[in-house]
Amino acid sequence: MSTQLLDTLAKHPLSVIELVDKAWNSFAEAIIKTGWDPITRQCESIVTALMSRITTGRLKVLTSSRIYSFPTVENQAEKSDVEFEAELRVINDAFWVRLCTMSDLGFAEAYMYGEVECDDLVSLFRIFLDNKENLSSLDSKLSYLFTLPQTLTSYRFLNTIGNSRSNVSAHYDISNEMFSGFLSRDMTYSCAIFKDLDGDIKDGPPISLGGRTLVLESSQPTHKKFNGVNGHGHKTNKSLPPTQDELHEAQIRKLKHIIQKAQICPGHRVLEIGSGWGSMAILIAQTIQDTHVDTITLSVQQQTLARERVAQAGLSDRVEVHLMDYRNMPPEWEGAFDRVISIEMIEAVGAEFLERYWEVVDWAMKRDSGVGVIQAITIPEARYDRYIKEIDFIRKWSSQVASSLH
């Protein structure tokens, strides 16, 4: 696995920025793990003062010396019934420093390192979400000092052509076998369309969503087994009749919806920006006569498996999988495509290159009759400016995974 990654051009180049970033992360981690009592106590005080603003739900925080209960008596809601309850057990005081200095990223890292434990993360996150207006100010001078160096070295996440290869490789060139372990057999890694709203939620208590109660359906348990020999994920049912794969059905429903939206017709030439593992390209060629699909990806492993799947489907003469950045398409592709589709790839473009992305989409389509359909993950407008300035879990840890494979 790692050999293939290292043999590609998509590895992270050694740079001054990367060295500075690694040095700072090592320094910050050393400070956090030192556990100097004045720092941990100050961070604990800041975090618990903020948590005291919780008014909805019930949160208990257990430390080695005391137990915190939120909401406090003065902030206790009038109604006695509590919808969500959660308990945090602080194993290491580094938890307080991480949470104080890195907010939600700090909590994720503390949980990952075993510095804090929680048996019901869903209820915990619902409490945080229900109280988000009161908890939104987890900020301090200490937090600013910790995040400033990451902000200054975040150039490595800017999606230049070189960085895009590195970022995509870090995320997708980990292992096709790993992705096959949790995706449905079509290998579509994007949001599906289920028959009904929240149709992907199964087996659980009623949940209140936006003032209405959602009663979750029951379904027979499907045991997903991972074969460590050949690495292919597959589902097995022990003493159970075969069950339908609702995720697969939902993904195919989504792909067909996009095909319908794009009004792809027989004989069309289609450009797909972001191949995934080839599910969309294969479905187009299988269901619409005489179509030709050029699909592009920056992931070597995606390209390899997509080509294998295309060949297995007998579509190699009509589907071509290219290892290519959307900004490096050949000149002869200008105005060559009847349809352009892109499924949850625009999120990887970056705010700085959105205008360029749309220019390329327009450049590739036929002038008079071209149609494009883009599926995207959205974020509330009010959160966007802050989000693009932050280093989140995926940006930080996918880059570290790639670096560790060198």
Side-chain angles (χ1 to χ4, degrees):
M1 176 191 72
S2 59
T3 302
Q4 185 177 23
L5 175 61
L6 292 174
D7 285 344
T8 72
L9 296 176
K11 55 190 176 183
H12 287 267
L14 189 63
S15 65
V16 173
I17 291 176
E18 184 182 5
L19 291 174
V20 171
D21 182 68
K22 284 184 175 181
W24 170 252
N25 282 331
S26 298
F27 174 70
E29 191 65 21
I31 292 177
I32 291 171
K33 290 186 174 180
T34 297
W36 189 40
D37 193 65
I39 292 180
T40 57
R41 296 288 75 83
Q42 178 66 22
C43 290
E44 181 178 351
S45 176
I46 292 171
V47 171
T48 54
L50 186 66
M51 286 182 173
S52 67
R53 302 179 187 178
I54 291 175
T55 58
T56 303
R58 184 172 293 138
L59 174 63
K60 185 179 290 186
V61 183
L62 287 70
T63 74
S64 59
S65 58
R66 64 174 298 177
I67 298 175
Y68 296 98
S69 294
F70 306 103
T72 56
V73 175
E74 57 268 26
N75 288 336
Q76 186 71 49
E78 292 183 3
K79 61 180 183 179
S80 58
D81 57 318
V82 176
E83 190 172 4
F84 296 101
E85 297 184 43
E87 180 180 285
L88 283 176
R89 297 180 297 278
V90 180
I91 309 301
N92 189 313
D93 282 341
F95 162 74
W96 300 112
V97 183
R98 291 189 197 278
L99 192 56
C100 184
T101 57
M102 294 181 285
S103 189
D104 53 351
L105 175 60
F107 178 86
E109 292 186 356
Y111 185 81
M112 182 173 67
Y113 287 133
E115 296 164 354
V116 66
E117 295 178 348
C118 179
D119 295 330
D120 188 356
L121 287 175
V122 173
S123 293
L124 177 67
F125 294 155
R126 286 303 303 264
I127 292 171
F128 286 160
L129 289 171
D130 290 343
N131 293 275
K132 63 182 178 181
E133 296 298 328
N134 296 330
L135 300 177
S136 61
S137 60
L138 183 53
D139 195 7
S140 64
K141 292 180 179 178
L142 191 60
S143 174
Y144 176 77
L145 290 174
F146 262 73
T147 57
L148 179 60
Q150 283 192 325
T151 301
L152 296 176
T153 59
S154 62
Y155 172 79
R156 72 192 191 282
F157 297 118
L158 189 67
N159 284 304
T160 60
I161 292 178
N163 283 354
S164 291
R165 289 291 302 274
S166 299
N167 295 336
V168 169
S169 179
H171 191 89
Y172 293 106
D173 283 340
I174 299 172
S175 164
N176 286 333
E177 289 77 14
M178 184 199 74
F179 285 100
S180 71
F182 66 86
L183 298 178
S184 50
R185 63 181 180 273
D186 51 276
M187 292 289 287
T188 304
Y189 189 31
S190 53
C191 297
I193 299 178
F194 290 82
K195 287 182 179 179
D196 54 88
L197 183 65
D198 304 310
D200 56 325
I201 306 176
K202 301 291 180 185
D203 297 327
I207 293 179
S208 174
L209 295 174
R212 75 189 193 283
T213 299
L214 171 67
V215 179
L216 304 183
E217 302 175 12
S218 294
S219 62
Q220 291 178 309
T222 299
H223 304 280
K224 195 159 190 175
K225 185 177 181 181
F226 194 83
N227 186 327
V229 178
N230 58 28
H232 293 291
H234 61 277
K235 294 182 177 178
T236 60
N237 290 319
K238 298 180 179 179
S239 304
L240 291 173
T243 58
Q244 61 185 13
D245 186 343
E246 295 184 358
L247 176 57
H248 172 71
E249 292 179 357
Q251 292 289 14
I252 298 302
R253 184 180 296 111
K254 185 271 300 295
L255 297 180
K256 289 182 176 179
H257 176 71
I258 292 176
I259 290 173
Q260 184 180 14
K261 279 282 187 182
Q263 298 181 353
I264 301 175
C265 300
H268 275 173
R269 185 179 182 187
V270 181
L271 169 65
E272 181 186 23
I273 302 177
S275 308
W277 288 272
S279 59
M280 172 57 95
I282 290 171
L283 185 62
I284 291 172
Q286 284 179 331
T287 58
I288 305 176
Q289 188 178 7
D290 297 328
T291 48
H292 185 94
V293 183
D294 287 283
T295 180
I296 64 175
T297 180
L298 287 175
S299 165
V300 173
Q301 293 206 19
Q302 282 190 340
Q303 183 197 39
T304 300
L305 184 55
R307 282 179 168 176
E308 290 176 3
R309 298 177 71 206
V310 168
Q312 290 170 2
L315 299 170
S316 298
D317 58 332
R318 293 173 52 208
V319 176
E320 296 183 59
V321 185
H322 307 270
L323 190 67
M324 182 187 300
D325 190 283
Y326 69 94
R327 291 158 291 193
N328 281 342
M329 290 190 283
E332 58 268 24
W333 283 12
E334 181 178 3
F337 295 93
D338 300 280
R339 300 292 184 263
V340 176
I341 56 177
S342 186
I343 302 175
E344 293 186 20
M345 177 273 174
I346 194 172
E347 298 83 1
V349 168
E352 302 84 359
F353 296 97
L354 282 174
E355 185 174 346
R356 177 60 179 153
Y357 172 82
W358 290 114
E359 287 176 353
V360 170
V361 170
D362 182 65
W363 170 88
M365 288 192 296
K366 290 184 176 179
R367 295 292 171 265
D368 299 327
S369 58
V371 173
V373 175
I374 310 297
Q375 177 187 333
I377 300 173
T378 60
I379 187 172
E381 188 70 22
R383 292 175 52 199
Y384 182 70
D385 287 341
R386 179 178 176 180
Y387 173 76
I388 62 176
K389 296 174 184 177
E390 293 178 335
I391 305 301
D392 62 12
F393 188 89
I394 292 177
R395 293 183 199 176
K396 178 176 179 178
W397 283 97
S398 65
S399 66
Q400 291 202 20
V401 167
S403 296
S404 69
L405 294 175
H406 288 282

